[in-house]
C-alpha cells in the first residue's frame, strides 16, 4: 500500500484576479488530505461521501485522476481511501489536495516516474475538467508547498506567523462565484478590470514584504484586498462578521480566502494572540482553525 498526503492552502492575495492572468500569492497550510492506494480486483473509492467505483458524480477528482493516470500506466483495479482534515467546498483547496495526493500515490504505486511539475500540471487539467475555469494555483501550491506566487511559479519566503482560518460553514461553489465575477466584468469592464488589475498589482508589491517577513505591511495590503473582493460581489454577511471580529481582536489582517460567498476567511496573527482571535471568530459564529504555513507539498507518508 502507498499513502500520500497533500496540503490545502489560503490565498494571501489574488483570488479571482488570478483567473484573468493576474498575480496571486498563495500559502500552503498544515491541513492535509491523505490518500491510501492499493492494487485491487476492481476500482473502489472510499471517502466520507461513501464507497463507489469509478464515479464522476460522487468522486469526480479521484475518478478523473485514475483515468488520467491510465495514460501513463495500466491500471485495472485499485482501492483508494481518502481521509481529509480539509472541509469540502470551503475555499481551502480540498479538491486540489485530493487530486494531487491521488496522482502522487498512483505515481508511486505504478512507478510512472512523473515529476512534481508533471503532477501539478495533471492536477490542473483535472480541476479544469471538473470545475470549468480553474486557475493552476490550488494544484500548484498543493504540489509544491510553501508560499508561491502564481502565474510566475515562484517560491517566496516561508511565513512564520500563526494563520487562523474562520469557516462560515456555508458551502461556496467556486464555479458559480467565478461565473458571477465574469458576469459583472462583462457588464462593467471599465470598472471591474481595473479592480482585478489592482489586486494583481498588490501581489506583485507584496512579494518584497513576504520575502522580508514584514507581516504588518503584508497585513495592511491583505485588508485592502478584502475590500476589493467585497467590491466584486464575493463577500457575505457571515464572512464580514468573521473578518471584523478577527480584526477587532488584534489580528494583523483578515480577509476572504478562496472563492468567497461562504467558505472561509483567513487572518494573520502575532505569536501571542492566535487563541484570542480564534475565540472571537467562534463568538461571531464561525469555526476557527489555528494553523501554519507548511513548506512541504505533496509527500509520501
Ligand atoms: C478559488 O479557490 C480561487 C479562485 O480564484 C478560482 C481559481 O483560482 O480557480 C476564485
Amino acid at each position: 500500500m502507498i499513502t500520500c498526503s497533500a496540503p490545502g492552502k489560503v490565498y494571501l492575495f489574488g483570488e479571482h484576479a488570478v483567473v484573468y492572468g493576474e498575480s496571486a500569492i498563495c500559502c500552503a497550510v498544515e491541513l492535509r488530505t491523505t490518500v491510501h492506494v492499493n492494487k485491487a480486483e476492481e476500482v473502489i473509492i472510499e471517502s466520507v461521501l461513501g464507497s463507489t467505483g469509478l464515479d464522476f458524480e460522487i468522486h469526480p477528482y479521484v475518478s478523473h485522476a485514475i483515468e488520467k493516470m491510465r495514460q501513463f500506466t495500466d491500471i485495472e483495479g485499485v482501492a483508494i481511501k481518502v481521509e481529509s482534515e480539509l472541509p469540502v467546498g470551503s475555499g481551502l483547496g480540498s479538491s486540489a489536495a485530493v487530486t494531487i495526493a491521488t496522482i502522487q500515490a498512483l505515481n508511486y504505486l505504478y512507478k510512472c516516474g512523473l515529476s512534481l511539475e508533471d503532477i501539478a500540471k495533471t492536477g490542473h487539467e483535472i480541476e479544469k475538467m471538473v470545475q470549468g475555469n480553474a486557475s493552476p494555483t490550488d494544484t500548484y501550491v498543493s504540489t509544491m508547498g510553501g508560499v508561491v506566487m502564481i502565474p510566475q511559479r515562484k517560491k517566496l519566503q516561508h511565513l512564520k506567523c500563526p494563520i487562523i482560518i474562520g469557516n462560515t460553514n456555508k458551502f461556496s461553489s467556486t464555479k458559480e462565484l467565478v461565473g458571477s465575477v465574469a458576469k459583472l466584468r462583462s457588464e462593467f469592464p471599465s470598472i471591474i478590470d481595473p479592480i482585478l488589475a489592482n489586486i494583481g498589482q498588490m501581489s506583485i508589491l507584496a512579494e518584497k514584504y513576504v520575502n522580508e517577513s514584514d507581516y504588518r505591511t503584508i497585513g495592511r495590503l491583505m485588508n485592502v484586498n478584502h475590500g476589493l473582493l467585497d467590491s466584486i460581489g464575493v463577500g457575505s454577511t457571515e464572512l464580514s462578521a468573521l473578518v471584523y471580529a478577527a480584526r477587532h481582536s488584534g489580528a494583523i489582517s483578515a480577509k476572504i480566502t478562496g472563492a468567497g460567498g461562504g467558505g472561509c476567511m483567513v487572518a494573520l496573527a502575532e505569536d501571542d494572540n492566535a487563541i484570542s482571535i480564534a475565540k472571537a471568530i467562534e463568538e461571531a459564529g464561525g469555526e476557527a482553525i489555528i494553523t501554519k504555513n507548511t513548506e512541504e507539498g505533496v509527500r509520501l507518508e
Side-chain angles (χ1 to χ4, degrees):
M1 185 169 72
I2 296 285
T3 300
C4 287
S5 77
K9 60 94 211 2
V10 291
Y11 273 91
L12 300 182
F13 301 99
E15 50 274 89
H16 287 289
V18 74
V19 174
Y20 300 93
E22 297 292 343
S23 295
I25 299 180
C26 233
C27 164
V29 289
E30 199 48 275
L31 297 168
R32 292 184 162 262
T33 295
T34 302
V35 173
H36 311 274
V37 298
N38 213 345
K39 290 187 183 165
E41 299 274 290
E42 53 187 337
V43 174
I44 307 163
I45 308 169
E46 259 186 80
S47 75
V48 285
L49 302 172
S51 178
T52 70
L54 206 62
D55 187 320
F56 295 91
E57 294 287 315
I58 296 175
H59 290 123
Y61 297 99
V62 176
S63 298
H64 278 293
I66 295 169
E67 283 287 276
K68 272 269 175 200
M69 292 303 282
R70 281 181 168 154
Q71 294 173 0
F72 305 108
T73 185
D74 213 10
I75 304 178
E76 293 211 351
V78 65
I80 300 192
K81 190 169 174 206
V82 180
E83 289 160 340
S84 189
E85 298 166 345
L86 288 159
V88 174
S90 61
L92 299 180
S94 63
S95 53
V98 72
T99 307
I100 296 301
T102 304
I103 297 170
Q104 181 66 305
L106 293 172
N107 185 36
Y108 275 115
L109 188 67
Y110 291 94
K111 301 183 175 60
C112 302
L114 297 189
S115 67
L116 288 180
E117 286 291 340
D118 296 332
I119 289 168
K121 185 166 167 279
T122 308
H124 181 216
E125 284 164 7
I126 293 170
E127 279 220 322
K128 276 196 292 191
M129 260 189 293
V130 180
Q131 291 175 14
N133 194 6
S135 77
T137 324
D138 290 17
T139 38
Y140 193 79
V141 75
S142 187
T143 307
M144 305 298 175
V147 179
V148 174
M149 192 157 178
I150 294 286
Q152 295 84 346
R153 290 175 157 73
K154 208 193 252 185
K155 273 241 184 172
L156 309 185
Q157 181 65 37
H158 181 65
L159 220 68
K160 290 174 216 76
C161 63
I163 296 171
I164 298 141
I165 292 167
N167 190 352
T168 61
N169 277 324
K170 227 180 111 189
F171 179 80
S172 110
S173 158
T174 300
K175 196 172 179 171
E176 274 170 31
L177 284 144
V178 168
S180 77
V181 174
K183 185 162 179 288
L184 196 64
R185 182 173 174 258
S186 73
E187 278 178 68
F188 308 110
S190 64
I191 304 295
I192 304 303
D193 280 339
I195 296 176
L196 297 171
N198 204 300
I199 293 176
Q201 274 308 308
M202 224 179 292
S203 305
I204 288 168
L205 190 67
E207 177 186 354
K208 169 177 185 287
Y209 301 112
V210 172
N211 284 336
E212 289 171 358
S213 303
D214 179 350
Y215 302 130
R216 286 270 147 215
T217 310
I218 297 168
R220 284 168 65 206
L221 290 172
M222 284 172 71
N223 290 349
V224 177
N225 194 163
H226 174 77
L228 295 180
L229 287 169
D230 227 359
S231 79
I232 58 171
V234 300
S236 72
T237 314
E238 293 86 349
L239 279 167
S240 287
L242 306 191
V243 163
Y244 288 103
R247 286 192 203 165
H248 289 146
S249 63
I252 298 173
S253 63
K255 68 178 271 292
I256 292 165
T257 179
C264 291
M265 49 70 70
V266 60
L268 300 186
E270 312 274 4
D271 286 328
D272 60 358
N273 66 3
I275 292 173
S276 56
I277 294 166
K279 268 194 196 140
I281 289 173
E282 300 250 334
E283 276 160 20
E287 194 180 324
I289 308 171
I290 300 176
T291 184
K292 57 183 184 350
N293 179 210
T294 174
E295 293 205 66
E296 276 186 291
V298 65
R299 72 180 179 214
L300 184 66
E301 294 293 339

